[in-house]
Amino acid sequence: MSLEIRKIVTAIDETFIEGGKAAEKPLKMIAVAAVVKNPWAGEFYEDMQPVIRAHAPQLGERLVAELAKHTDLDAVEAYGKAAAVGMNGEVEHASGFIHTLRFGNKYREAVGGTSYLAFTNKRGGPGCVISIPMMHKEDEGQRSHYLTHEFTVGDAPGPDEILVAIGAATAGRPHARTGNRYQDMEEMKAERESAGLVDA
């Protein structure tokens, strides 16, 4: 059984000014989505693995190839993924294609990432909001790259479809200044030590 792709959709957002101040490095966020026929729609399949193994790698490769049309893959700093299943499917169907290393590793390897891919998976109808949370491809604690790219596809997902997407960002948030996870950890450790709550 081949995986039927009805359409490929790309959503690009570029930010040049944030908070009234020009970004030192403009932020470009790109989402690439495939709208595919849901191979499990309308029935309960106990074993979804045969379809996942057959099609998740090819879907990952196709989306990465589409992403490469819109940015140099080496320029990707943050990434994520998302899937939405139509109303005749289960959320498990949306999860099936994106929650497998056979899909995720295609993207990670293409951009040199080591972090896990942040994600959303949901059920929704045509035009539902697709949210792709992102984080730095190599450093989960780098808060400057905690981003969300949202978009809609007016006619997808249909009742018997799944929308599968990957997201990329070429920079962190303009003027990021909330620190990072490691800074918090060091400060909180110092605070506990000064309060005598831990051994120095």
Side-chain angles (χ1 to χ4, degrees), residues 7-175:
K7 67 193 304 183
I8 298 287
V9 178
T10 303
I12 298 175
D13 183 306
E14 294 187 78
T15 300
F16 304 99
I17 299 171
E18 183 76 12
K21 180 180 178 182
E24 182 176 332
K25 182 178 181 180
L27 166 61
K28 183 177 183 179
M29 296 193 293
I30 306 159
V32 179
V35 179
V36 305
K37 185 174 182 180
N38 183 351
W40 304 290
E43 294 185 51
F44 185 87
Y45 287 82
E46 191 66 46
D47 186 4
M48 295 170 55
Q49 289 302 316
V51 172
I52 292 171
R53 285 194 294 268
H55 299 300
Q58 290 79 10
L59 194 52
E61 288 173 359
R62 177 67 184 273
L63 290 176
V64 168
E66 292 293 332
L67 176 64
K69 296 177 182 179
H70 303 282
T71 189
D72 180 350
L73 295 180
D74 289 336
V76 173
E77 294 186 9
Y79 58 16
K81 59 187 177 181
V85 66
M87 301 309 290
N88 289 347
E90 304 172 44
V91 174
E92 192 72 2
H93 300 164
S95 300
F97 284 127
I98 65 170
H99 294 312
T100 170
L101 294 177
R102 293 175 172 84
F103 176 85
N105 281 355
K106 298 295 182 181
Y107 191 11
R108 264 186 293 271
E109 291 166 5
V111 300
T114 55
S115 300
Y116 72 88
L117 285 153
F119 66 90
T120 59
N121 39 238
K122 63 187 283 185
R123 181 187 293 110
C128 69
V129 175
I130 308 299
S131 295
I132 306 180
M134 291 185 270
M135 66 172 62
H136 194 281
K137 67 180 183 181
E138 296 175 322
D139 185 352
E140 294 98 332
Q142 195 162 316
R143 292 191 183 128
S144 58
H145 288 65
Y146 292 174
L147 297 158
T148 304
H149 189 20
E150 294 189 324
F151 65 101
T152 62
V153 181
D155 66 349
D160 296 332
E161 293 182 326
I162 304 173
L163 185 153
V164 179
I166 58 173
T170 60
R173 296 188 309 278
H175 324 309

